Structures are given as C-alpha cells and as structure tokens.
Amino acid sequence: MTIAALNPSPAPAILPGSGGIRGALSDLFWRRPQLLLLLMLLPPVLWLGIVYIGSLFALLAQSFFSIDEFSGLINREFTLKTYGDLLQAANLDIILRTVTMAALVTLASAVVAFPIAYYAARYARGRWKALFYLGVMLPLWSSYLVKIYAWKLILAKEGILTWLLAKLNLLGLLDAWLSLPVVGGNSLSVSFTGTFIVFVYVWLPFMILPVQAALERVPGNLVEASSDLGASPGQTFRNVLFPLALPGIVAGSIFTFSLTLGDYIIPQIIGTSRLFIGQAVYSQQGTAGNIPLAAAFTVVPIVIMGFYLWGAKRMGAFDAL
Amino acid sequence: MRSDRAQSAPLGLKIAAACGLLFLHLPILLIFVYAFTTEEKSFVWPPPGLTTQWFAVTWNRPDVWQALSLSVRVAAISTAIALVLGTLCAAAVSRTKFFGRETISLLVILPIALPGIITGIALRSAFALADIPFSFWTIVLGHATFCVVVVYNNAVARFRRTSGSMIEASMDLGADGFQTFRHIVLPNIATALLAGGMLAFALSFDEVIVTTFTAGQQQTLPIWMLEELIRPRQRPVTNVVAMVVVLVTLLPILAAYYLTRDGDQIAGSGK
C-alpha cells in the first residue's frame, strides 16, 4: 500500500477516454472550455460584427462624403461639408421638431402607462395578472402597420371619433382644436395631434413593461407605512412611489424616445407634410439620392441616443429592463 | 404578516388602468368590424352594412398571396438563422464570465435598440458599397440580424434558471458533451427556444422599416400594406388583410406566452 501511494506515476483515469471523433471532440471541449466558448461565440459575433457593425461603419463613412450639387454624384473624399448642410435652418427645424415630439410622446406614455403598470404590479393577482400581461403583450406584438391603419380609420374625417364627438355634441371642441396653428390641421389624420396620438399608442406597451417591472419590486407595506405616517396619497406618490418607479420610467423612455426619433412611417401616413428625421433620411437617400446627407441625418439620433443611454445608465435604468 | 394582498385598488386607479387597457385594445378590435363593412371608398362609421364578400375577393388576389408567401419564407429562414445564432450566444454568455461579455450582449441588443431606419439605411448603403443586388437573401440578412435578440433573450433567461449541477451530474454519469446537450440541455431549453422562435417569426413577419431598404422591388406583406396605405387601390381588401394579419400574429404570441409561463417548474431551478 505505501509503495503504491509513493508510486510517482499518475493514477489512471476513472473513465476510459471515449472513442471516435465525437468522443475526442467531447473530451477536447471538456478539457479546453475556452475553445468551446470561442466556437460558440464565433458565428453570432461574426454575423453581427460583419453584417451589422460593418454596415453601420459603412454608413458612418458615407456621412463624411459629400454630394456634388451640379452632377449629383457622390464625391468620395473626406469632408465635413455634409455635416455643415445638416445645420441649415430647414434641417435644424426637422431635428428640433422630431426631438420635441419624442419628448412629448415619452412624457404622455409615462402618464398613461403608470396606472396600468401600478395596478398590474400591486393589485392584480392570478388570473387577472395573466390577463394584464397578455393585455399589454398582444398590442405590443400586433402588427405595427395594422395599428397605424386602425388609427387612420379612427382619426379620418368621417371616422369613428368624429361620429362619437358628434353624438356627444362636442364637435365644436374638435373644430376649435383643429383650428389651432401648429397642432391642428384639416382633420386629425393630417395633424401633429394625430401623429402624437398614434406614436403614444404604438409605443405605450414599451413603457408599461419596464415601469411594471420596477413597481413589482416596491413592497406594498412601504406604501402603507407612508400613509400610516400621515402622508396623503399624493405625497406617497411623489415621495415614495415615483422615485422608486423612476428607473423603470427611464428604461421605458429609452424605447419610446428612440423609436419616435427614427420612425418615418407614422408621420408619413398620419401627419402633415412637415418632415421628421426619419422621413428626411428616407427622402434624402431615395428621391434626392443624397446618401451622405441621409447618413449624416442618421448620426443625429445615434448621438442623441448615445447621450440618452449614458444618462439612463447613470440613473440605474438598465437594472429595470 | 403582509396585508397588501387583501386590499383592493382605489376606484380612480381602477378606472385609469381600465381606460388604458381599452385604449390599447379598441383600435385593434375596430379592424375586425371594418373587415366586414360594405363601404368601399371611405372610412365611414358606423358601417352602412355588413358583408363577407371581401374575404372572397381577397382570396382571389394573386398579389396578396405572393406577398404572404414571401413574408412566410423570409420569416422562416430568418427565424432558423436567429435560433442558431441566438442560442449559441445565450449559451456562451450565460455559462461563463469572459472578457467582452457585456460588449457581446450589447452587440445583440443594438439592432433593436437603435431606430430601424438606421439598421435599414446602414444595410442598404453597405449593399450598395459591396455591389450586392437586392434579393430574397438581402431581406433575410436584415431580418435575421434583429431577430437574434428575441431568441437570445428567451434562451438566456432559461439557461440562467437551468441548474448547472444537472449538467455536471450528466457528465459524472459518463455522458459525453454531445449526449449531455441532446438529453439534458436541449429538453430544458426547448420550450424557451420554441417561444423565442415564434416571437422572432412574428417580428420578421411584421417588419416593415428595415425591409423597405433591403427588399428592392419585392413585396413582403407589410410592404404590400404600406403601399396600400400610401396609395390605396381597393380599401376593403386592405381591411381584410389587416384582420388576417392580426389573427396570424396573435397565435404565435399566445403560444409563446403559454410555453414560457410555467418557467418556475424547469428541472433543477430550485437548486
């Protein structure tokens, strides 16, 4: 026994090595997990790196090209001229309009989302909880175009909203609103108000889910403690619920803000002829053939979202996602 | 003892939540009514009469069938690619810590976090630079890229809940890596993959923004609908297609919900 214990040669493996290529490969991956990791990561990273990041860089590079105004040809020389064009009054106007809309849509989504999220997080149980979840997921995943189409039906001059307001004798109110300078228009389906409503509708579920996730983590007795200590419901909301829900709201706002910045279909179908960033990008690359300016335009939402994400991360929004 | 379960919500909150949910659902329900309207030219409400004749008209439209077939083929291939890439990525990220792990999860999320128009125009300009002509595969390239994230999210959540000791037990009992994958890992993540795949299918089936940049002259169903929204040809047909699209996307979502609902009962999740 002692001789065997002192024997310097290594003990034999308990299990014999597996045979064949399959066994050899299996043993190799077991001994070298890094190799397996590398092999697993290679396909997705190659795909996303080449197809996606590669394309983004191609786009970024083109924003430094410029277009020859006379020939309409693209001049492939490094220049900042296109970014100069971006600062023209008309283009700044587009950027300002889009950012304002994105901010308003975000704000409205947060206001509409909060009660739904709060009810689902604190009061809904069992079957109701499932119903609330599906009630948010179904509209979220329903066809984007169908949702816009539905609102076209609702907001049209002869549509259901006008009918409803007529029944309620409130048509005067609608006309008064539509006669306002910026937000009004011929009918709701060709006004900024219409664009705003549809944006809020389409992105609302993206706000509800993270806010609900944040509120789920607030213990109910915290709210009770606040009211036991004499706070009114308003004070409890301001000092307890809202600060705790804020990371969720910020997380949701990442979606509502970013999606509004880039969308060009909603303002095209329900909106006025005054452009948003997405529409500008689309028309610059399509009808105008000015790819450099289109590329420079897309850099605007990327930069804005970069700052936004940086700020959101600092507020702890990513933990609420 | 926690008392917050017995309470019922204040009336104001109930009303606000109910109104919010109605706001989310009424417009979609409206689509179902309009699919049966006899009115052809405008969006008049209430419908002057109800008919099912437009279902027959839509059925006989070859352009609708072509668009539908292209959408289904693109969604199927994109989902298959996304399933492979998303699962590989999720398996790597959830099991081990390595340098650049955060970067990789960012890389997966980016195509959906950045506005679709950026993905679209980036792909288009890359195709132009590389002289790649528009085809079925240029659409798939774009769709698969943003579908990866859905599979990845579902798979990563399931991988994290599946206990690592089961895999070790399998290996201890003499199974090789492939057997462990086939008999332990795969059955555990199967429903999550199915759910992720269905959501990826729904996402691709519905995608319009990226597709407008990568499709060239081909029409997927959403492109067909967008075309009808901008230049209407036969409104009742659009109504019917809209209703069918709602129903077609509804089913995968419900199925995905039921597949991932019982996630707590995954084998080994309690350990």
Side-chain angles (χ1 to χ4, degrees):
Chain A
M1 287 293 263
T2 46
I3 296 167
L6 290 172
N7 192 340
S9 75
I14 298 168
L15 292 169
S18 329
I21 296 173
R22 200 179 102 156
L25 268 180
S26 175
D27 291 349
L28 180 66
F29 290 150
W30 180 248
R31 265 181 275 122
R32 306 272 307 272
Q34 297 296 334
L35 185 69
L36 178 63
L37 189 68
L38 189 74
L39 281 178
M40 286 201 291
L41 280 174
L42 213 55
V45 168
L46 277 183
W47 179 287
L48 290 169
I50 293 174
V51 175
Y52 190 65
I53 302 296
S55 306
L56 277 185
F57 272 108
L59 180 69
L60 194 66
Q62 299 208 35
S63 72
F64 292 106
F65 297 162
S66 64
I67 193 159
D68 189 305
E69 269 130 37
F70 299 104
S71 62
L73 292 175
I74 289 162
N75 182 7
R76 293 190 175 187
E77 265 174 56
F78 186 88
T79 168
L80 286 173
K81 180 179 159 299
T82 312
Y83 282 95
D85 292 346
L86 202 60
L87 296 175
Q88 284 168 2
N91 292 337
L92 278 182
D93 211 34
I94 293 175
I95 294 170
L96 187 69
R97 180 179 304 126
T98 313
V99 172
T100 312
M101 178 62 91
L104 288 175
V105 167
T106 300
L107 204 66
S109 306
V111 171
V112 181
F114 195 88
I116 305 177
Y118 187 48
Y119 191 94
R122 185 157 142 81
Y123 295 105
R125 293 279 171 262
R127 192 178 289 268
W128 277 102
K129 187 123 192 159
L131 207 70
F132 258 87
Y133 181 73
L134 280 178
V136 176
M137 287 309 273
L138 288 181
L140 172 69
W141 284 94
S142 289
S143 168
Y144 163 82
L145 278 174
V146 169
K147 285 186 276 192
I148 301 173
Y149 185 55
W151 278 96
K152 188 96 187 152
L153 303 174
I154 294 169
L155 298 174
K157 226 183 175 73
E158 70 279 7
I160 190 167
L161 199 66
T162 316
W163 172 82
L164 193 71
L165 289 174
K167 286 272 176 202
L168 297 169
N169 281 324
L170 290 173
L171 269 187
L173 213 63
L174 178 66
D175 289 336
W177 182 263
L178 285 177
S179 64
L180 292 175
V182 177
V183 295
N186 228 345
S187 80
L188 274 177
S189 63
V190 284
S191 69
F192 277 144
T193 313
T195 319
F196 168 77
I197 294 174
V198 180
F199 270 134
V200 172
Y201 176 79
V202 175
W203 311 141
L204 184 59
F206 291 94
M207 180 63 94
I208 297 176
L209 293 174
V211 176
Q212 185 182 339
L215 286 172
E216 298 268 5
R217 290 180 217 160
V218 181
N221 34 22
L222 212 61
V223 177
E224 274 160 37
S226 166
S227 53
D228 284 351
L229 291 168
S232 70
Q235 283 174 318
T236 303
F237 174 77
R238 267 197 311 279
N239 299 320
V240 180
L241 270 183
F242 183 73
L244 290 171
L246 197 60
I249 296 175
V250 175
S253 76
I254 294 171
F255 295 107
T256 56
F257 200 82
S258 157
L259 290 166
T260 312
L261 279 187
D263 195 278
Y264 70 95
I265 292 186
I266 292 173
Q268 186 187 6
I269 293 173
I270 295 173
T272 67
S273 54
R274 278 168 293 182
L275 300 180
F276 282 76
I277 290 178
Q279 292 168 288
V281 171
Y282 189 73
S283 64
Q284 288 299 341
Q285 68 85 30
T287 43
N290 191 345
I291 300 269
L293 186 57
F297 251 120
T298 61
V299 173
V300 175
I302 295 180
V303 169
I304 294 176
M305 282 321 292
F307 278 108
Y308 204 106
L309 290 173
W310 176 71
K313 198 173 169 77
R314 284 178 55 118
M315 291 184 71
F318 288 139
D319 305 328
L321 276 177
Chain B
M1 186 178 143
R2 286 168 65 107
S3 60
D4 53 299
R5 280 168 198 278
Q7 267 182 3
S8 90
L11 188 65
L13 179 64
K14 273 186 186 164
I15 294 173
C19 286
L21 280 187
L22 281 181
F23 172 64
L24 280 175
H25 286 268
L26 284 183
I28 297 175
L29 292 178
L30 200 65
I31 288 288
F32 286 75
V33 181
Y34 270 97
F36 293 96
T37 184
T38 46
E39 171 64 46
E40 286 179 41
K41 292 277 170 254
S42 77
F43 299 132
V44 68
W45 181 272
L50 297 175
T51 170
T52 51
Q53 70 168 110
W54 296 114
F55 286 85
V57 175
T58 309
W59 187 268
N60 293 317
R61 282 277 291 267
D63 56 332
V64 175
W65 284 109
Q66 266 165 23
L68 180 70
S69 138
L70 180 63
S71 275
V72 169
R73 279 181 293 140
V74 167
I77 306 261
S78 307
T79 303
I81 297 173
L83 273 173
V84 174
L85 298 181
T87 313
L88 283 174
C89 213
V93 166
S94 63
R95 276 268 162 263
T96 30
K97 284 198 174 15
F98 56 89
F99 178 73
R101 186 163 160 248
E102 295 286 309
T103 318
I104 286 180
S105 39
L106 182 70
L107 186 66
V108 174
I109 293 167
L110 209 57
I112 210 131
L114 285 179
I117 192 161
I118 294 174
T119 313
I121 192 174
L123 286 172
R124 188 190 187 110
S125 61
F127 293 152
L129 284 181
D131 274 328
I132 301 173
F134 292 121
S135 70
F136 174 80
W137 293 103
T138 53
I139 309 180
V140 169
L141 218 57
H143 282 210
T145 303
F146 60 75
C147 281
V148 173
V149 64
V150 191
V151 177
Y152 169 83
N153 276 344
N154 272 278
V156 121
R158 184 63 62 86
F159 270 124
R160 290 209 173 116
R161 277 205 303 262
T162 310
S163 164
S165 52
M166 289 212 318
I167 291 162
E168 282 162 23
S170 160
M171 301 294 244
D172 285 350
L173 290 169
D176 67 29
F178 298 97
Q179 285 169 325
T180 304
F181 179 77
R182 165 77 188 77
H183 296 288
I184 306 292
V185 180
L186 203 57
N188 264 305
I189 63 167
T191 50
L193 290 190
L194 197 57
M198 282 176 170
L199 292 178
F201 190 93
L203 194 66
S204 163
F205 190 76
D206 186 39
E207 162 59 37
V208 56
I209 294 188
V210 176
T211 321
T212 47
F213 288 96
T214 56
Q217 294 303 313
Q218 310 163 83
Q219 276 194 331
T220 60
L221 202 60
I223 302 267
W224 180 90
M225 244 189 106
L226 181 63
E227 201 63 26
E228 291 294 315
L229 284 181
I230 296 167
R231 279 177 288 276
R233 278 174 292 180
Q234 208 172 8
R235 269 201 184 126
V237 174
T238 317
N239 293 339
V240 171
V241 173
M243 189 187 110
V244 172
V245 167
V246 169
L247 289 178
V248 168
T249 37
L250 205 75
L251 297 174
I253 299 149
L254 281 176
Y257 168 71
Y258 281 105
L259 285 172
T260 47
R261 187 183 46 159
D262 301 323
D264 300 338
Q265 280 121 50
I266 307 302
S269 65
K271 286 144 221 151

